[in-house]
Amino acid sequence: MPIAAEPSVEKGLAIAVEMDRRDAGFADSASTMEMVLKNRKGDVSTRKLRNRVLEQEEGNKSIFVFDDPLDVKGAALLTFSYKTKNDDQWLYLPALKRTKRISSSNQSGPFMGSEFAYEDMASQEVEKYSYSYLQDEELDGMPVFVLARYPVDQKSGYTRQLLWVDKDEYRPWKIEYYDRKRTLLKTLTFADYQQYLAKYWRPHQMEMINHQTGKSTLLKWDDFQFKNGYTEKDFSLNSLTNIR
Amino acid sequence: MVLLTLVWCGIGNAQVNSIELSGNISLEARAFLQSADYPGQEDQNGSVSIEPEFYVDWADGDQRIVFSPFLRYDTSDDERSHADLREFYWRGSFQDVELKVGVAKVFWGVTESQHLVDVINQTDLVENIDTEDKLGQPMVNLSFIKSWGTLELYVLPYFRERTFAGEEGRLRTSLVVDTDHASYEASDEEKHVDFAVRWRHYIGDWDIGLAHFSGTSRAPDLVPSLHAGQLVLIPHYQQIDQTSLDLQATKGDWLWKLELISSRNDQGRYTAFVGGFEYSLVGVLGTASDLGLLLEYHFDDRDDKATSPFQNDIFTGVRWVLNDIQSTEVLVGAIVDSDTQATFGNLEASRRLGQSWKISLEARIFSNQDKRDLFFDLRNDDYIEFQISKYF
């Protein structure tokens, strides 16, 4: 039986929809990414990737191409995101020239051995969560909304996430991830936002700290390029085997 | 050479987008657990291989040349010391059509323990008996990338013979395979032009591949023959017409897989399939690691006359992926013959060291082999292999 939504639920959803609306219409983008993985002892390991995204009504399409470490060079991951069902994912393995459809139910698994889970890297569709607005706050002197969101997918590694979103531009600055035992697992902070096409904000740094293991992963995004004229053909199984 | 010249002229007028040299060098040591059956064979063996890959992209990546030779030196087997052109092709993309001309590698299929439908490239069997190493195949390949899937047409103008261990190599048949005197059903032998067509697509959770191949079988019959006073096995390559289906259903943590072929040769038509599942347990025992449980059943209605050792066999395996920084992975499995209980056991493990090194361990065990089994000759060739590779 439908019950009237709580005002906090309505406001939470409204903030998420506004975040999504402000990012809509970018058509496509390309960027490079460096991952710096740090363990508790401070040992560092790096990965280099390239990323392409195609904006789609039913959920974005994306490709990650691995450049480094060299033994996985040329491997590529194609993802079709959906708003309400599991994503479709294919992995191309260059040594065997083999494209494997892989299970996307493993949302909570680590992406390339990092502190980012697949679900953290995935396209953040509004429908993937339910929301609740909590309060207004100041984060480093910036007025922000604090909201909670709850993954719809039962296989998510999280029970809830807390988001700090600035009131001016609706950009996330901090996300806290709570694991299935409802304890704080990770904190993600965003930094160095830059604006493209006078509209779209992209963080150039994202740092994920795992409080339970002491490990961290820093993502350094760069070389953002928008409106590359990509089509669905650039996100086909065939393109996955050709991308370099 | 003509190809190279043409391409060079092509590049001359366009802007090169990227040009790169990469590849790997590997050192490998094998230790056999039983002493050799035949004179000249050794119980240890060392080997080094190099596989560089050069590529150049131009016209916004719509045109590309790939050049990838392969070279191995083996301390004990002359046949395993070999060179191959793994890839040397030009590829052009034009809207939704793609043309590839030259020597290339293609993979078809979905299953893990056998690659039944994968017929374009010849197996480089001296590299590894897992049949996953392939020789470069000369081809003209035209692909149409449409909303209804990808349609691939192949013209294969030259046949590559399968490689086999030499007289002094381990993992050989009791009679040596004489690769210098291969025989063919087709009168134009290795110059016979083969054709293939494949359609592949995905519909929801389903990935589908449907193909037909007409030409020289990649898997030879090994025919005992007298040559220069010596009894040897002569590889005989038949003409076949093979239709194949490969199917995968991705249902949550379950991957359901099937490869099915119906093949016709001189002796008639036969059917073979391999099918099963891979089930993933995510984040086992509170760690970040995943456990994959694999089961695949192999069937071939030629039964004992099958050229493949898997005619009524069951593969079970466990894949352990640690999801750590070093990408550590272990795959342990066994293929058991349901009729004879002959068992082919396997272990493959690998781990990255630093940014550009990788170590791997491999073990293959042949136990309980019956005279009727194709692996009977390998019953005393259990081995452990250690490999270290440098990527550049």
Side-chain angles (χ1 to χ4, degrees):
Chain A
M1 200 196 282
I3 22 174
E6 296 276 329
S8 64
V9 171
E10 264 174 34
K11 189 167 178 183
L13 178 64
I15 294 167
V17 168
E18 180 62 15
M19 287 170 77
D20 190 60
R21 193 191 66 78
R22 290 193 181 214
D23 200 51
F26 69 89
D28 67 54
S29 72
S31 55
T32 61
M33 184 179 92
E34 190 180 327
M35 301 178 91
V36 183
L37 281 57
K38 213 181 275 184
N39 70 10
R40 197 194 292 266
K41 287 181 284 177
D43 300 333
V44 164
S45 169
T46 60
R47 278 120 178 69
K48 288 190 180 122
L49 302 95
R50 279 166 294 140
N51 180 226
R52 286 179 178 182
V53 182
L54 181 69
E55 194 181 23
Q56 298 267 281
E57 192 53 47
E58 65 272 29
N60 293 347
K61 296 186 174 184
S62 77
I63 291 184
F64 277 108
V65 189
F66 305 136
D67 287 330
D68 195 61
L70 293 171
D71 62 296
V72 293
K73 186 181 169 68
L77 179 71
L78 173 67
T79 306
F80 296 172
S81 304
Y82 298 105
K83 291 176 174 171
T84 50
K85 60 168 185 163
N86 278 348
D87 295 351
D88 293 336
Q89 271 187 331
W90 291 265
L91 181 65
Y92 174 65
L93 304 165
L96 296 174
K97 315 286 170 206
R98 179 172 182 180
T99 303
K100 270 185 167 182
R101 175 79 168 261
I102 56 173
S103 168
S104 66
S105 66
N106 179 9
Q107 285 303 300
S108 59
F111 181 79
M112 290 191 89
S114 75
E115 296 314 308
F116 285 83
Y118 275 91
E119 61 187 305
D120 308 336
M121 301 295 294
S123 177
Q124 303 290 309
E125 311 289 343
V126 174
E127 291 80 355
K128 287 185 172 180
Y129 304 92
S130 60
Y131 300 85
S132 173
Y133 162 80
L134 300 180
Q135 69 214 39
D136 284 1
E137 257 184 33
E138 279 205 356
L139 183 71
D140 300 328
M142 179 171 45
V144 292
F145 302 111
V146 184
L147 62 151
R149 64 181 185 187
Y150 309 89
V152 172
D153 186 350
Q154 296 297 312
K155 294 226 165 189
S156 168
Y158 313 116
T159 44
R160 66 170 180 152
Q161 301 173 3
L162 296 185
L163 275 77
W164 281 257
V165 179
D166 76 74
K167 291 184 171 180
D168 277 350
E169 300 287 349
Y170 285 77
R171 294 163 300 189
W173 288 89
K174 186 164 97 164
I175 302 178
E176 285 181 353
Y177 297 85
Y178 291 81
D179 66 14
R180 285 178 188 148
K181 291 177 217 119
R182 298 175 185 277
T183 49
L184 178 62
L185 176 63
K186 303 187 290 193
T187 300
L188 174 62
T189 49
F190 300 78
D192 193 10
Y193 268 105
Q194 291 179 32
Q195 197 175 27
Y196 294 89
L197 307 178
K199 181 167 183 198
Y200 306 106
W201 291 97
R202 289 289 178 275
H204 282 241
Q205 297 221 2
M206 293 164 66
E207 187 174 34
M208 184 75 89
I209 294 171
N210 187 319
H211 303 292
Q212 297 182 6
T213 63
K215 295 185 200 168
S216 70
T217 299
L218 177 64
L219 300 190
K220 296 193 242 179
W221 297 89
D222 210 353
D223 303 320
F224 281 102
Q225 285 178 330
F226 286 81
K227 311 244 187 229
N228 302 284
Y230 293 150
T231 63
E232 290 196 43
K233 182 183 161 261
D234 298 301
F235 295 81
S236 67
L237 292 184
N238 197 68
S239 68
L240 192 62
T241 61
N242 284 331
I243 199 162
R244 300 296 301 232
Chain B
M1 213 59 234
V2 176
L3 175 70
L4 195 63
T5 315
L6 275 175
V7 157
W8 224 245
C9 296
I11 300 175
N13 300 323
Q15 203 199 329
V16 170
N17 299 100
S18 61
I19 185 161
E20 206 167 78
L21 177 71
S22 57
N24 67 81
I25 299 179
S26 280
L27 269 175
E28 171 194 298
R30 276 183 184 175
F32 291 87
L33 306 184
Q34 298 99 345
S35 43
D37 281 338
Y38 310 105
Q41 287 185 328
E42 293 171 62
D43 294 340
Q44 291 89 34
N45 120 265
S47 192
V48 58
S49 71
I50 178 163
E51 188 170 4
E53 184 187 71
F54 171 81
Y55 87 86
V56 52
D57 268 9
W58 70 100
D60 266 345
D62 283 346
Q63 299 206 50
R64 171 178 302 164
I65 297 271
V66 174
F67 174 62
S68 179
F70 171 82
L71 195 69
R72 174 178 297 284
Y73 172 74
D74 190 90
T75 54
S76 38
D77 187 352
D78 292 344
E79 293 290 328
R80 199 158 184 260
S81 296
H82 70 299
D84 183 43
L85 199 51
R86 292 292 198 234
E87 295 203 289
F88 183 26
Y89 65 82
W90 163 83
R91 193 217 68 194
S93 295
F94 313 94
Q95 308 286 350
D96 50 6
V97 179
E98 241 182 59
L99 181 63
K100 195 185 262 187
V101 180
V103 175
K105 288 208 289 184
V106 170
F107 181 90
W108 296 354
V110 292
T111 54
E112 299 299 318
S113 53
Q114 198 190 171
H115 304 300
L116 262 186
V117 308
D118 186 31
V119 287
I120 295 292
N121 291 83
Q122 179 59 277
T123 300
D124 194 358
L125 195 63
V126 281
E127 272 300 294
N128 198 315
I129 58 161
D130 68 5
T131 71
E132 290 203 335
D133 291 274
K134 298 290 175 182
L135 297 171
Q137 171 64 49
M139 68 176 71
V140 177
N141 165 217
L142 189 63
S143 298
F144 301 88
I145 302 112
K146 303 286 187 182
S147 58
W148 41 264
T150 303
L151 183 70
E152 301 165 2
L153 305 175
Y154 296 87
V155 179
L156 311 165
Y158 188 81
F159 176 76
R160 305 289 315 276
E161 284 177 38
R162 183 166 292 195
T163 59
F164 289 94
E167 191 165 1
E168 300 190 327
R170 295 293 290 255
L171 300 157
R172 75 160 165 88
T173 40
S174 56
L175 296 176
V176 176
V177 178
D178 184 353
T179 49
D180 296 333
H181 298 92
S183 73
Y184 294 86
E185 180 183 337
S187 56
D188 44 2
E189 303 195 326
E190 69 268 34
K191 293 190 187 69
H192 182 85
V193 180
D194 300 344
F195 296 95
V197 54
R198 185 172 194 244
W199 168 78
R200 69 171 175 146
H201 198 38
Y202 58 89
I203 298 163
D205 297 336
W206 295 80
D207 285 61
I208 306 161
L210 200 56
H212 187 80
F213 171 87
S214 178
T216 310
S217 172
R218 271 50 185 159
D221 292 324
L222 298 175
V223 186
S225 319
L226 209 53
H227 198 269
Q230 241 191 328
L231 200 54
V232 293
L233 293 174
I234 297 284
H236 178 71
Y237 294 97
Q238 300 194 51
Q239 288 297 300
I240 59 164
D241 266 286
Q242 176 167 309
T243 308
S244 70
L245 169 74
D246 59 275
L247 208 55
Q248 180 176 319
T250 305
K251 303 280 184 190
D253 296 330
W254 294 86
L255 308 181
W256 295 94
K257 301 171 174 194
L258 175 72
E259 293 190 18
L260 172 71
I261 59 169
S262 173
S263 196
R264 189 170 53 81
N265 57 27
D266 242 10
Q267 285 91 55
R269 183 170 280 282
Y270 74 91
T271 305
F273 70 80
V274 48
F277 65 80
E278 175 162 0
Y279 174 70
S280 299
L281 291 156
V282 176
V284 286
L285 300 171
T287 66
S289 63
D290 299 339
L291 214 53
L293 307 177
L294 298 104
L295 184 83
E296 287 177 0
Y297 174 69
H298 302 248
F299 173 80
D300 190 317
D301 70 2
R302 289 171 299 172
D303 211 4
D304 287 353
K305 291 186 208 70
T307 47
S308 132
F310 312 124
Q311 87 298 355
N312 177 22
D313 292 51
I314 293 171
F315 165 75
T316 47
V318 177
R319 191 201 307 275
W320 184 31
V321 180
L322 272 71
N323 287 318
D324 57 349
I325 291 177
Q326 295 82 15
S327 304
T328 312
E329 275 193 50
V330 183
L331 176 67
V332 190
I335 302 179
V336 181
D337 189 304
S338 305
D339 302 320
T340 65
Q341 313 309 316
T343 301
F344 173 41
N346 268 305
L347 176 127
E348 290 170 15
S350 64
R351 181 180 172 86
R352 185 183 308 111
L353 291 180
Q355 286 293 118
S356 63
W357 294 83
K358 193 173 173 179
I359 49 170
S360 43
L361 186 74
E362 181 177 294
R364 307 223 190 270
I365 308 290
F366 309 90
S367 77
N368 217 8
Q369 297 293 323
D370 185 269
K371 274 208 173 66
R372 287 175 289 162
D373 287 303
L374 279 187
F375 282 159
F376 179 70
D377 287 344
L378 307 182
R379 68 195 178 282
N380 290 326
D381 282 332
D382 296 350
Y383 72 87
I384 294 172
E385 176 189 295
F386 175 77
Q387 198 178 70
I388 180 158
S389 306
K390 165 74 182 169
Y391 290 81
F392 55 90

